[in-house]
Amino acid sequence: MRHVIIIGSGPAGFTAATYAARANLSPLVVASSVEVGGELMNTTEVENFPGFPEAIQGPELMAKMQEQAEKFGAEILYDDVVELSIDGPVKKVKLGSGAEHEAAAIIYATGSAYRKLGLPGEERLSGHGVSWCATCDGFFFRDRVIAVVGGGDSAMEEATFLTRFASKVYVIHRKDTLRASKIMQERAFANPKIEFIWNAEVADILGDEAVSGVILRDTTDGTTRELPLEGLFVAIGNDPRTHLVHDKLELTTEGTIWVDGRSSRTSVPGVFAAGDVIDPTYRQAATAAGSGTVAALDAEHYLAALDDAGAPEADVAQIDGLPEADPVSVG
């Protein structure tokens, strides 16, 4: 049995792994078999992560985070968790390969997934004009004509933010009214750079090497037309990856995992959550990394308390001969 298993390999997961490994907890990171690195693997230049003034490619940043975690002793496993058993002091993790692992603590950092339009060109042009994050990629669209798809608060926020860079921002919405809050609508309506295209949906994304436009389908009569663009931002929501913990952990009204205040403690003792899976608002690499730090320190405190109490079922000081955990370290 292990001290801690970390599920997820984005900024939260790898940061938690680095802190846990430095605390001599020998963490096992279940990094996924196909999506190692999380959403940043689909991002080109990252300019807003601390410490990289010259920007860094998303995949390169995640590779460095993994390298750092491994340097301190984290073990990375390229597999997928298919089942969790988290009741009681011993947590059990079953993998797609059929292997099972046990730990005294779990850090759940599976992130969230942007909802997509489901069009062929969407994946092909990801990072080449198609984006799901204005704060990540808006800077690259300075003085360009772009569009945002969506009608909620996120879409209005993205469109308003993008007017700092783009020369014009279309908002494409499949209805003739918005779902966004009144104040967000008013801000968007008042912005001279934003133009609304009502009763329309994106039927196709055009471009070979980069986005050159979209085909719009009228949702009332089915007619189509082409709209020239240099960028397309999809803002139709995102879904936290909580499918493994439904009916196991308490969730919030937004569908994220509930945690106690600013901590990472979930509704089940010994289970901690970090990153986008607990964050319905910010969803940034830097905030996820900070959240991973919190989770590792919370798990470290929890394990130390178990050891002090002499819990027989999960004596973390003698787990499979692993070394004892070091005192809590924050630097």
Side-chain angles (χ1 to χ4, degrees):
M1 190 172 83
R2 295 176 177 268
H3 295 297
V4 60
I5 294 175
I6 299 169
I7 303 170
S9 57
F14 279 142
T15 302
T18 295
Y19 270 75
R22 288 183 70 244
N24 213 22
L25 296 179
S26 303
L28 173 68
V29 180
V30 184
S32 172
S33 61
V34 294
E35 295 181 328
V36 180
E39 293 295 330
L40 276 184
M41 298 300 288
N42 299 318
T43 303
T44 51
E45 289 188 333
V46 178
E47 293 187 315
N48 55 3
F49 195 85
F52 296 94
E54 303 302 324
I56 185 171
Q57 297 290 309
E60 183 183 359
L61 175 60
M62 296 318 304
K64 286 182 176 294
M65 283 189 170
Q66 178 175 342
E67 180 183 354
Q68 187 174 18
E70 290 180 305
K71 172 186 175 182
F72 291 109
E75 179 184 351
I76 313 298
L77 187 61
Y78 302 105
D79 207 333
D80 302 293
V81 178
V82 295
E83 187 177 339
L84 283 176
S85 177
I86 56 178
D87 292 332
V90 178
K91 319 302 180 186
K92 299 179 181 179
V93 177
K94 185 175 181 179
L95 305 180
S97 63
E100 292 190 3
H101 295 271
E102 296 181 344
I106 296 286
I107 295 176
Y108 196 83
T110 53
S112 63
Y114 293 111
R115 292 177 191 158
K116 299 184 178 181
L117 298 172
L119 300 173
E122 190 174 17
E123 294 295 337
R124 179 172 55 83
L125 294 170
S126 172
H128 300 278
V130 174
S131 175
W132 293 267
C133 180
T135 53
C136 303
D137 300 326
F139 179 81
F140 304 110
F141 294 86
R142 189 175 296 278
D143 299 323
R144 297 186 182 183
V145 177
I146 61 178
V148 174
V149 182
D153 278 356
S154 294
M156 297 308 103
E157 186 175 0
E158 299 263 287
T160 302
F161 177 83
L162 288 166
T163 59
R164 301 181 188 182
F165 310 102
S167 59
K168 186 178 188 63
V169 179
Y170 291 102
V171 174
I172 302 168
H173 187 43
R174 58 182 297 108
K175 299 181 180 179
D176 59 3
T177 57
L178 299 171
R179 303 187 313 277
S181 60
K182 183 177 180 181
I183 189 170
M184 295 300 293
Q185 292 190 42
E186 289 174 348
R187 288 176 185 170
F189 289 145
N191 195 309
K193 283 189 175 183
I194 296 177
E195 179 179 332
F196 286 82
I197 301 177
W198 304 104
N199 298 313
E201 61 185 5
V202 177
D204 196 11
I205 304 173
L206 306 176
D208 294 326
E209 310 237 337
V211 170
S212 62
V214 295
I215 299 296
L216 296 179
R217 180 187 298 115
D218 192 296
T219 57
T220 59
D221 60 21
T223 58
T224 60
R225 67 183 178 96
E226 182 176 335
L227 177 68
L229 294 172
E230 296 173 275
L232 183 69
F233 286 78
V234 182
I236 56 177
N238 71 337
D239 298 302
R241 295 187 174 101
T242 58
H243 60 284
L244 288 171
V245 294
H246 286 179
D247 303 322
K248 297 179 185 293
L249 295 177
E250 184 177 339
L251 303 181
T252 67
T253 55
E254 292 93 350
T256 55
I257 295 174
W258 175 89
V259 291
D260 183 14
R262 296 184 63 186
S263 80
S264 66
R265 296 186 297 271
T266 70
S267 56
V268 174
V271 179
F272 306 87
D276 286 7
V277 78
I278 68 169
D279 177 11
T281 305
Y282 301 104
R283 299 192 298 271
Q284 298 296 303
T287 55
S291 181
T293 301
V294 170
L297 295 176
D298 283 345
E300 193 174 356
H301 280 288
Y302 172 80
L303 294 169
L306 282 183
D307 192 28
D308 290 342
E313 296 94 345
D315 184 357
V316 297
Q318 303 297 331
I319 298 174
D320 275 359
L322 291 176
E324 293 188 9
D326 287 341
V328 174
S329 54
V330 295

